[in-house]
């Protein structure tokens, strides 16, 4: 079964929608609204499917506090029905104003192998104290999610565009852009959970590893008018042998290029 989640614009039913294919992608069902209460204010949806019919959709909406609420919807019957939206975190913003650079994104989401659950990641920025944080949260395959917890924080580094993936043993990997506010250059960091530990019961990350051999200037990214743009998402996949495969936009050559690195 294939699932596609998106957000409708410019219609009478703007908001999050889900469609499924029951025949390997040859045809798809009509899109169905996921959270009518959120309406057109829902944004940045991502989806992950686990075993035994469980899937989750993470997205953001404006929060009552004036910031953003990171929400998740979960289904245990192959997307036929969803439980009520749960709030993983309320944040001021996913990133500070980095004008003229555009590099904001929404949450990232992955399924744990064997239908054991899901993990989400999102970056936040608190203007009041200048702290950037990487948050992660876990959910069971039955739709119950734990509140987000802090994986990393800093005042001289801004974390951007998280991606998350789970290996065959359930070991998690998270990549982020790390923008140094002193040099205004970016490096890509990789966070991983320890081996031999149950992810859902004890979410903890080892110190990050730099996977870029040199920092790069994000202002050399693709120009859209007067705005350099690093895109909204990067890529990360987990292999079968405790290896991970990150993909990101890099400008160290002087222009924006898609880069990767061979796993250790």
């Amino acid at each position: 079964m294939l699932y596609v989640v998106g957000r409708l614009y410019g219609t009478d039913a703007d908001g999050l929608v889900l469609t499924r294919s029951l025949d390997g992608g040859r045809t798809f069902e009509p899109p169905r609204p996921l959270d009518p209460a959120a309406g057109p204010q829902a944004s940045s949806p991502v989806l992950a499917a686990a075993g035994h019919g469980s899937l989750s959709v993470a997205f953001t909406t404006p929060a009552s506090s004036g910031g953003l609420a990171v929400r998740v919807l979960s289904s245990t019957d192959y997307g036929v029905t969803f439980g009520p939206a749960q709030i993983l975190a309320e944040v001021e913003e996913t990133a500070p104003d980095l004008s003229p650079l555009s590099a904001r994104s929404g949450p990232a989401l992955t399924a744990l192998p064997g239908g054991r659950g899901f993990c989400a990641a999102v970056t936040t920025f608190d203007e009041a104290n200048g702290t950037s944080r990487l948050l992660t949260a876990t959910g069971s395959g039955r739709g119950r999610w734990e509140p987000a917890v802090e994986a990393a924080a800093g005042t001289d580094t801004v974390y951007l565009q998280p991606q998350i993936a789970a290996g065959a043993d359930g070991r998690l990997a998270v990549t982020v852009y790390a923008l140094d506010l002193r040099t205004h250059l970016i490096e890509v960091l990789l966070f991983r959970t320890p081996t031999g530990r149950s992810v859902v019961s004890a979410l903890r990350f080892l110190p990050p590893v730099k996977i870029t051999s040199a920092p790069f200037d994000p202002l050399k990214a693709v120009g859209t008018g007067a705005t350099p743009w690093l895109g909204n998402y990067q890529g990360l996949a987990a292999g079968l042998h405790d290896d991970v495969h990150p993909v990101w936009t890099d400008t160290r050559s002087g222009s924006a290029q898609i880069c990767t690195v061979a796993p250790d």
Side-chain angles (χ1 to χ4, degrees), residues 9 11 14 19 23 28 39 96 120-121 128 151 154 195 208 214-215:
Y9 292 90
T11 74
D14 283 359
T19 181
D23 55 12
F28 282 84
T195 58

Side-chain angles (χ1 to χ4, degrees), residues 18-199:
L18 174 80
T19 181
R20 306 183 306 166
S21 173
L22 308 181
D23 55 12
R26 289 185 290 274
T27 62
F28 282 84
E29 298 173 342
R32 293 184 286 111
L34 276 184
D35 191 357
Q41 298 188 77
S43 185
S44 306
V46 290
L47 181 149
H52 312 296
S54 62
L55 64 147
S56 289
V57 177
F59 58 100
T60 63
T61 63
S64 57
S65 61
L68 289 175
V70 182
R71 297 176 179 268
V72 63
L73 290 164
S74 298
S75 172
T76 58
D77 56 8
Y78 298 92
V80 176
T81 62
F82 283 82
Q86 300 175 59
I87 297 178
L88 301 185
E90 287 196 9
V91 302
E92 182 173 335
E93 186 54 271
T94 57
D97 183 3
L98 298 173
S99 298
L101 177 67
S102 176
R104 291 181 177 176
S105 71
L109 189 64
T110 191
L112 296 173
R116 286 182 285 167
F118 301 88
C119 288
V122 67
T123 57
T124 77
F125 185 78
D126 188 336
E127 191 73 42
N129 54 31
T131 300
S132 178
R133 298 190 296 159
L134 171 64
L135 304 179
T136 56
T138 58
S140 72
R142 296 177 297 278
R144 178 179 296 178
W145 281 79
E146 300 296 330
V149 297
E150 184 179 285
T155 55
D156 55 6
T157 299
V158 172
Y159 300 117
L160 302 167
Q161 297 192 6
Q163 282 299 321
I164 187 167
D169 61 351
R171 189 182 186 194
L172 282 179
V174 177
T175 54
V176 291
Y177 280 145
L179 173 65
D180 190 320
L181 294 177
R182 298 160 297 188
T183 65
H184 301 287
L185 299 178
I186 281 180
E187 295 180 303
V188 179
L189 301 183
L190 169 67
F191 294 83
R192 302 202 72 184
T193 54
T195 58
R197 180 184 291 268
S198 171
V199 171

